[in-house]
Amino acid sequence: MAEEVQIAGTQATAKIRNPLGVIGLTLITFGIYGIFYYYFINREMADYGRARGTTELGDSPGTSVLAITLGALVIVPALISLYNTCKRVEATQRMAGDPNPTAAGLLFILYLFIAPVALYLIQDGLSKAWQAQASGGAQLPPQQAPPPPPAAPEQPAEQSAPPPPPQA
C-alpha cells in the first residue's frame, strides 16, 4: 500500500510507492497501470513545483500522458515527454535535497531499453524526495544562496617588530 504525504505548502499529496509494486502492476495490467502512474507522478511533481514557485517540474500532466499515448503513434512526442519527465524527476530529487540525483539522460536511456529498471529508479528517487520534503528537509527556497566565503586566516597573537630599515 502506498503511503500518502502532504506536499509542503499545498493541499496536494504525493504517494510513496514501492518501486517493485509499480513494476509489477505495470506488467500485470499490460501497461495500463503505467499510463496512470505516468500521469500521477507528473501531477505530483507539478504540484511540488507550484509549491516551490517554479515551472521546472512541469505544469500539465495531462499533456504528458497524451504525448506518450496518442503521441506515440508519431514517436517523437512520446520521446520528448519521456525525456522531460526524466528531467523533472532529477530536478525533484535535487530540490528535495538529494546530493546525487539520478541523471535524466541515464533514466531516459534505461527507460528506452530496460524500462523496469528505469521505473524502479524513478520511483525510488521520487519516494526519497517525498520523504525528505515531508520531514521538512526541503524547506529551502528553489535558489539557495551561495555559502559565505571562508574566514580569513587568523593573525598570530604576538606580532614581531617590523624589520629595521636598510642602512645606507
Side-chain angles (χ1 to χ4, degrees):
M1 194 58 142
E3 175 189 350
E4 285 193 6
V5 295
Q6 183 91 21
I7 295 176
T10 69
Q11 296 297 318
T13 59
K15 286 188 178 181
I16 298 173
R17 300 171 181 89
N18 181 340
L20 293 176
V22 170
I23 296 167
L25 285 171
T26 301
L27 293 173
I28 289 169
T29 62
F30 300 106
I32 301 298
Y33 176 78
I35 294 169
F36 284 92
Y37 171 75
Y38 195 76
Y39 172 81
F40 288 125
I41 65 168
N42 276 287
R43 183 199 50 82
E44 291 166 354
M45 290 187 289
D47 290 342
Y48 186 52
R50 277 192 285 278
R52 300 289 298 239
T54 182
T55 58
E56 182 181 10
L57 301 180
D59 57 0
S60 179
T63 304
S64 297
V65 170
L66 188 61
I68 65 157
T69 53
L70 295 178
L73 297 173
V74 184
I75 300 174
V76 175
L79 293 176
I80 292 171
S81 176
L82 185 58
Y83 181 71
N84 287 337
T85 295
C86 292
K87 285 190 340 187
R88 290 180 198 123
V89 170
E90 180 182 12
T92 300
Q93 290 175 312
R94 185 176 26 80
M95 285 182 189
D98 187 345
N100 297 315
T102 309
L106 173 65
L107 286 175
F108 179 69
I109 296 299
L110 284 173
Y111 211 105
L112 291 178
F113 296 107
I114 314 171
V117 174
L119 284 173
Y120 185 92
L121 292 174
I122 287 170
Q123 187 53 53
D124 186 54
L126 287 176
S127 291
K128 289 176 184 174
W130 301 145
Q131 286 172 339
Q133 72 86 35
S135 65
Q139 298 301 317
L140 299 173
Q143 299 295 326
Q144 298 179 14
E154 292 184 27
Q155 297 294 330
E158 294 180 21
Q159 295 217 0
S160 59
Q167 296 192 4

